């Protein structure tokens, strides 16, 4: 009787425990499930500043896409850029930085840095990969435009305070590692309890059948009397402490079956609890060992080493703006329209070209600059300033491909075209890694046959003298007709100008030199030479006459005192790697008249 009660209580306890465990597992997936997102809000009362930086580590704080909501008065913008670019643009301006999230995940952490009260408007800067503009409110999904770290810059116009109402919604960890194990365990406990209840019901039914058989026809047939006699003998033997060999006591057999079932159910429950504990520990360990966001400045992108200064989309956008500015200036013959996107050699040449063409209608215009039919790009991975990039294009009006060299002087200035140089006929452009290449100082000769300044100086010497020491060090002939043409032009001037003495020079302008490392370890050197053409009458009373183009700049055609003409030469020279036996090669060259005066 005691065993029956114990089995009943055990079965009920298992069922109740199973139900509780099952409900606990279901609860973790429903009413106790963590929210899908968490939102942190910038604290009110923060010190106002014209700029707000959102640190790059917030984008990967919880994984997934971060949603940013900004509210402010009037118009404002949110720009994305590399962390070093954002920091360089901010410079010494007072600003706030969103650096992290509080421990409870409800508040954004802000750091304030004092500095200059205002900054230029960040709108239109070439540093930004993407920009979003809004009026009053902005909802922004922060996704990276490329691999690496990315920061955000929030501003109005650089003079007004940046919006201070900022909230960031992060994906939350919704994993419930114990939910499934608890539901499985609860179900098995319920099954174990049900099994015990079924076993008890069967035993009770067996006992009822035995009782009914004993209470009817105690005499019965001969076979029945013999069966009762054998049962009585077994009872006596049991009372005597020994059961006949080969007999099994029904009561004990059922008791053993019930005990084994209880043990099996208990064992299964213990095993499942252990397995669930191990599984839960494994999940917790996995969560604790998941890689956390790298600290600020630890990655190559944060440091800026080896990361190209422009993405393809940025480069194309910049190139289109440069081409647009040049088209506007060429159409109006107005150098003021070039200023936002053209500088150095190209600005000098086009400015003077416009001046000459305003007086000499037959004077040839400068080759147009095109952003279409982009053949290749060369991007520096040198992230300090000035930064240099190059494109090879051949759009409408370009008889041959031309090299467009662009330079960004500082973080707050945009890229400007400094040279547009047509390739030499039959020349193959050297291979350069499009994913970003090294730029070298003009004096750096590491791994090269010549440094950049040596290469340009050698070219200048060769253009100045037919007997130059660099005659055999520069490839000539059909692959570099510019050298032969220049020498022939100079010889013709001397021959035809019998009443004058003439001198020619080709001098390097050092500040215009840009050097890109090529894929074979050599370099492509781009720069400017000032081609000086000096003429003096041989005898008193002799006169020198200049062409209409030079006369437009000099203010006259004839001189008895002498004259000086200056041409800006844009050139590109390939320099082989150190140890090579190959000569240098003039890859691209052109010149334009930029000055004419009488002595």
């Amino acid at each position: 009787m005691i065993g029956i009660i114990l089995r009943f209580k055990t079965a009920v306890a298992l069922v109740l425990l199973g139900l509780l465990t099952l409900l606990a597992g279901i609860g973790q997936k429903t009413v106790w499930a963590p929210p899908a997102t968490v939102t942190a809000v910038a604290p009110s009362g923060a010190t106002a500043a014209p700029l707000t930086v959102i640190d790059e580590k917030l984008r990967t704080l919880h994984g997934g896409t971060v949603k940013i909501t900004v509210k402010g008065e009037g118009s404002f913008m949110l720009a994305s850029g590399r962390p070093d670019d954002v920091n360089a643009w901010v410079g010494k301006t007072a600003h706030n930085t969103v650096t992290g999230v509080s421990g409870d995940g409800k508040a954004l952490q802000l750091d304030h840095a004092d500095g200059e009260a205002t900054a230029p408007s960040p709108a239109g800067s070439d540093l930004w990969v993407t920009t979003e503009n809004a009026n009053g409110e902005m909802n922004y999904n922060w996704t990276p435009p490329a691999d690496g770290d990315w920061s955000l810059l929030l501003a109005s116009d650089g003079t007004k305070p940046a919006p201070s109402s900022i909230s960031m919604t992060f994906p939350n960890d919704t994993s419930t590692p114990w939910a499934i194990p608890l539901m499985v365990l609860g179900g098995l406990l319920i099954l174990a309890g049900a099994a015990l209840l079924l076993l008890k019901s069967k035993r009770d039914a067996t006992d009822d059948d035995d009782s009914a058989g004993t209470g009817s026809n105690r005499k019965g047939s001969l076979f029945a009397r013999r069966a009762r006699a054998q049962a009585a003998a077994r009872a006596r033997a049991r009372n005597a402490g020994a059961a006949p060999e080969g007999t099994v006591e029904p009561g004990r057999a059922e008791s053993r079956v019930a005990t084994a079932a209880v043990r099996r159910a208990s064992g299964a429950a213990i095993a499942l609890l252990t397995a669930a504990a191990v599984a839960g520990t494994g999940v917790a360990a996995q969560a604790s060992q998941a890689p956390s966001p790298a600290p600020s400045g630890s990655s190559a992108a944060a440091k800026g080493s080896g990361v190209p200064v422009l993405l393809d989309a940025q480069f194309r956008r910049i190139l289109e703006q440069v081409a647009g500015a040049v088209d506007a200036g060429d159409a109006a013959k107005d150098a003021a329209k070039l200023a936002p996107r053209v500088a150095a050699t190209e600005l000098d040449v086009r400015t003077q070209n416009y001046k000459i063409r305003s007086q000499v209608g037959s004077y040839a215009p400068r080759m147009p600059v095109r952003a279409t039919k982009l053949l290749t790009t060369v991007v520096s991975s040198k992230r300090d300033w000035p930064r240099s990039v190059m494109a090879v294009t051949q759009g409408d009006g370009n008889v041959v491909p031309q090299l467009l060299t662009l330079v960004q002087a500082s973080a707050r200035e945009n890229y400007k075209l400094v040279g547009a140089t047509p390739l030499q006929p039959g020349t193959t452009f050297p291979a350069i890694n499009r994913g970003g290449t090294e730029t070298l100082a003009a004096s750096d000769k590491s791994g090269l046959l010549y440094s950049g300044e040596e290469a340009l100086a050698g070219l200048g010497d060769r253009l100045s003298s037919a007997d130059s020491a660099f005659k055999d060090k520069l490839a000539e002939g059909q692959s570099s007709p510019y050298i032969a043409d220049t020498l022939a032009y100079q010889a013709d001037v001397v021959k035809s100008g019998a009443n004058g003495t003439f001198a020619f020079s080709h001098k390097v302008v050092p500040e215009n030199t840009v050097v890109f490392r090529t894929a074979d370890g050599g370099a492509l050197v781009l720069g400017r030479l000032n081609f000086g053409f000096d003429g003096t009458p041989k005898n008193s009373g002799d006169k020198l006459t200049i062409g209409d183009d030079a006369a437009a700049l000099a203010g006259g055609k004839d001189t008895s005192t002498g004259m000086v003409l200056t041409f800006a030469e844009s050139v590109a020279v390939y320099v082989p790697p150190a140890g090579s036996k190959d000569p240098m090669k003039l890859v691209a060259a052109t010149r334009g008249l930029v000055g004419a005066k009488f002595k």
Side-chain angles (χ1 to χ4, degrees):
M1 186 68 179
I2 294 176
I4 294 172
I5 296 173
L6 179 61
R7 286 195 300 274
F8 179 78
K9 289 182 176 180
T10 302
V12 172
L14 286 174
V15 171
L16 291 175
L17 180 60
L19 286 172
L20 292 174
T21 306
L22 180 62
L23 290 174
I26 295 172
Q28 286 205 4
K29 286 290 187 181
T30 54
V31 294
W32 300 321
T37 59
V38 290
T39 298
V41 180
S44 59
T47 304
L51 306 173
T52 297
V53 177
I54 300 178
D55 193 273
E56 70 269 18
K57 65 175 174 288
L58 288 170
R59 185 181 62 81
T60 56
L61 190 62
H62 293 287
T65 301
V66 179
K67 296 182 179 180
I68 301 175
T69 299
V70 181
K71 295 180 180 180
E73 296 182 1
S75 300
F76 56 89
M77 63 165 290
L78 188 68
S80 66
R82 295 291 188 186
D84 58 329
D85 287 347
V86 172
N87 293 335
W89 198 95
V90 170
K92 297 180 180 180
T93 304
H95 61 282
N96 291 317
T97 303
V98 182
T99 59
V101 179
S102 61
D104 61 5
K106 296 181 179 179
L108 296 173
Q109 297 173 329
L110 263 67
D111 288 344
H112 177 78
D114 291 326
E116 298 171 357
T118 63
S121 173
S125 172
D126 287 345
L127 292 183
W128 316 139
V129 179
T130 61
T131 55
E132 295 289 335
N133 298 300
N135 193 326
E137 183 174 352
M138 172 189 292
N139 293 304
Y140 176 76
N141 290 333
W142 190 4
T143 56
D147 292 338
D149 290 336
W150 298 92
S151 294
L152 298 177
L153 178 69
L154 177 64
S156 54
D157 61 356
T159 60
K160 301 175 184 177
S164 58
S165 177
I166 306 170
S167 65
M168 301 182 70
T169 301
F170 303 92
N172 193 26
D173 181 9
T174 58
S175 61
T176 52
W178 281 99
I180 299 301
L182 287 173
M183 286 189 282
V184 173
L185 178 59
L188 290 174
L189 288 173
I190 291 172
L191 289 175
L196 281 180
L197 287 174
L198 290 174
L199 181 63
K200 177 184 178 300
S201 299
K202 184 177 180 180
R203 174 64 187 272
D204 290 345
T206 303
D207 289 344
D208 291 342
D209 290 344
D210 289 346
S211 297
T214 304
S216 63
N217 191 10
R218 293 191 176 273
K219 292 184 179 181
S221 64
L222 177 61
F223 294 105
R225 289 196 299 271
R226 288 181 178 177
R228 285 196 294 271
Q230 290 175 355
R234 285 196 298 272
R236 286 193 299 272
R238 190 164 57 246
N239 291 335
E245 185 177 356
T247 62
V248 178
E249 301 173 47
R252 287 192 179 183
E254 292 178 5
S255 177
R256 289 172 184 170
V257 170
T259 302
V262 172
R263 287 177 178 172
R264 282 195 298 272
S266 300
I270 293 172
L272 282 168
L273 283 170
T274 304
V278 172
T281 304
V283 170
Q286 183 180 3
S288 65
Q289 294 172 5
S292 58
S296 177
S298 65
S299 70
K303 292 180 179 178
S305 62
V307 178
V309 296
L310 292 176
L311 298 183
D312 283 346
Q314 278 177 285
F315 203 149
R316 291 178 183 275
R317 184 185 73 222
I318 292 167
L319 203 56
E320 288 173 359
Q321 293 176 3
V322 167
V326 174
D327 279 347
D330 288 352
K333 298 186 183 69
D334 184 0
K337 296 182 181 298
L338 301 176
R341 283 295 186 178
V342 185
T345 302
E346 199 60 29
L347 181 59
D348 290 346
V349 173
R350 288 186 183 271
T351 299
Q352 298 302 77
N353 183 276
Y354 298 160
K355 185 175 182 179
I356 296 170
R357 287 169 58 207
S358 67
Q359 301 179 43
V360 183
S362 61
Y363 191 71
R366 189 76 166 168
M367 183 182 289
V369 171
R370 302 302 187 206
T372 54
K373 201 175 180 181
L374 181 60
L375 304 180
T376 190
T377 58
V378 177
V379 179
S380 171
S381 57
K382 174 178 170 285
R383 297 195 62 82
D384 52 352
W385 282 270
R387 293 176 174 179
S388 303
V389 297
M390 185 173 60
V392 182
T393 66
Q394 189 178 11
D396 293 340
N398 298 149
V399 179
V400 294
Q402 62 177 338
L403 308 186
L404 305 178
T405 307
L406 291 78
V407 174
Q408 185 182 36
S410 66
R412 286 185 175 178
E413 296 181 71
N414 282 340
Y415 281 90
K416 294 186 177 182
L417 178 70
V418 298
T421 315
L423 283 175
Q424 290 283 277
T427 297
T428 301
F429 187 76
I432 301 179
N433 182 12
R434 288 197 62 194
T437 190
E438 181 185 11
T439 52
L440 307 176
S443 59
D444 191 348
K445 192 179 177 179
S446 57
L448 299 175
L449 204 58
Y450 302 98
S451 68
E453 62 185 12
E454 289 174 338
L456 293 183
L459 173 63
D461 188 73
R462 178 69 185 109
L463 291 171
S464 301
S465 172
D467 298 324
S468 168
F470 278 84
K471 181 177 181 179
D472 297 329
K473 297 175 181 177
L474 273 160
E476 298 184 29
Q478 292 183 351
S479 62
S480 295
Y482 185 83
I483 296 175
D485 290 347
T486 301
L487 291 172
Y489 166 73
Q490 294 170 172
D492 287 344
V493 169
V494 172
K495 183 178 179 180
S496 61
N499 59 341
T501 301
F502 302 98
F504 308 96
S505 63
H506 300 262
K507 296 181 179 180
V508 179
V509 181
E511 61 268 23
N512 288 65
T513 304
V514 177
V515 184
F516 293 100
R517 182 78 73 177
T518 55
D520 62 358
L524 183 65
V525 183
L526 300 103
R528 171 176 174 172
L529 304 178
N530 275 344
F531 175 12
F533 180 169
D534 187 291
T536 304
K538 283 184 179 180
N539 302 305
S540 178
D542 289 343
K543 288 186 178 182
L544 299 178
T545 302
I546 58 177
D548 291 341
D549 53 351
L553 301 181
K557 286 183 65 71
D558 300 323
T559 175
S560 58
T561 58
M563 52 80 178
V564 176
L565 305 183
T566 304
F567 298 85
E569 294 179 298
S570 297
V571 297
V573 180
Y574 166 71
V575 179
S580 174
K581 302 299 183 182
D582 295 331
M584 295 184 291
K585 179 186 291 186
L586 184 62
V587 176
T590 191
R591 65 172 171 258
L593 182 63
V594 294
K597 65 180 181 179
F598 296 136
K599 293 181 181 179

